[in-house]
Amino acid sequence: MSISSYLCDVEPKGALARFRRGYHNCLYRRADALFELTDAVLCSGTPVRSLVELAPEPEFQRGHGALYDAVNQGWMEFTRLRRLVATTPVHRSAEGRIVLAVDVTPWLRPDADTSPERRFCHVSGYGTATGQNIPGWPYSFLAALEPGRSSWTAILDAQRVAPGDDVTELTADQIREALARLTRTGHRHEGDPDVLVVLDAGHDATRLAWLLSDLPVELVVRVRSDRVYYTDPGEPVYRRKGGRPARHGRHLTLNADPDT
């Protein structure tokens, strides 16, 4: 094995080992049990749908009662975890800029009547209906995207959207805090290209751009397919028959007529 290939093989393992040590330091109560529980979730060969399914996983080497004790009595310092995640390598695009993506994804809990802070989450294709509002926990995820076509993302932050929260304000605060952490950890410096933030159609692009106008970011928000745009009506023309002038100009059809 050459020296270069050896370093390429060792460096990712060393970075992973440093991250695991830092993650263990973020667990202040029932640390070992929570650490093994995290490994069990990540190494499970099937989707984890209930907590009890993690008990027989080989990564969780404790008794059945320790699993529930870790969840009920364990404690994690999330601020320290966010700083730790910000120290991990962040990919850049071909232009040398950091590309972030924000999306709200629900964890549906329709049968958990006693679970606190549930909200109605709009989902499509759930069951036989095309669109429904299902009780669950929506989470706002912020991730760094890799260049090119890839399904891999680096999650930098995740926050639950509680009842009464303004999604636009929460997203703006999430982007602002993530950008500050990336700057403190040395991933972004003065003079670097603006950070590109990609968002789904459910976000208010106009208000979000106003809330983040003081930051070096560029927003790209997907436009809803049913969004209606009109051209400038131009100079008002008053007719003899009376009536108010037109408020809008020609209708722009985004999908059906690309020429508009």
Side-chain angles (χ1 to χ4, degrees), residues 118-119 161-167 169:
R118 289 191 307 170
R119 293 183 53 163
V161 184
D165 285 348
D166 189 310
V167 178
E169 291 185 359

Side-chain angles (χ1 to χ4, degrees), residues 91-95 99 145-153:
H91 293 279
R92 295 176 181 268
S93 65
E95 296 82 10
V99 182
L145 303 183
E146 292 187 4
R149 297 183 178 181
S150 174
S151 60
W152 290 95
T153 59

Side-chain angles (χ1 to χ4, degrees), residues 53-123:
E53 296 177 10
L54 299 175
E57 291 292 334
E59 289 77 17
F60 191 78
Q61 303 178 8
R62 299 173 184 274
H64 185 270
L67 184 146
Y68 292 96
D69 185 65
V71 175
N72 294 328
Q73 304 298 328
W75 181 62
M76 174 189 295
E77 179 53 58
F78 289 101
T79 303
R80 189 170 184 175
L81 178 60
R82 289 189 175 98
R83 290 199 299 264
L84 173 65
V85 172
T87 62
T88 58
V90 178
H91 293 279
R92 295 176 181 268
S93 65
E95 296 82 10
R97 68 165 68 189
I98 298 175
V99 182
L100 304 178
V102 182
D103 191 20
V104 177
T105 302
W107 181 13
L108 302 181
R109 304 285 290 172
D111 300 325
D113 297 333
T114 59
S115 297
E117 297 184 347
R118 289 191 307 170
R119 293 183 53 163
F120 282 104
C121 307
H122 181 77
V123 294

Side-chain angles (χ1 to χ4, degrees), residues 31-53:
D32 294 339
L34 284 176
F35 190 83
E36 293 182 5
L37 188 61
T38 304
D39 277 346
V41 173
L42 297 176
C43 298
S44 176
T46 58
V48 179
R49 295 183 174 86
S50 63
L51 189 61
V52 70
E53 296 177 10

Side-chain angles (χ1 to χ4, degrees), residues 11-45:
E11 180 55 30
K13 294 180 180 179
L16 179 59
R18 289 192 296 270
F19 181 83
R20 289 172 62 85
R21 287 193 298 267
Y23 174 68
H24 190 275
N25 293 333
C26 297
L27 307 174
Y28 285 13
R29 189 186 302 155
R30 304 296 192 274
D32 294 339
L34 284 176
F35 190 83
E36 293 182 5
L37 188 61
T38 304
D39 277 346
V41 173
L42 297 176
C43 298
S44 176

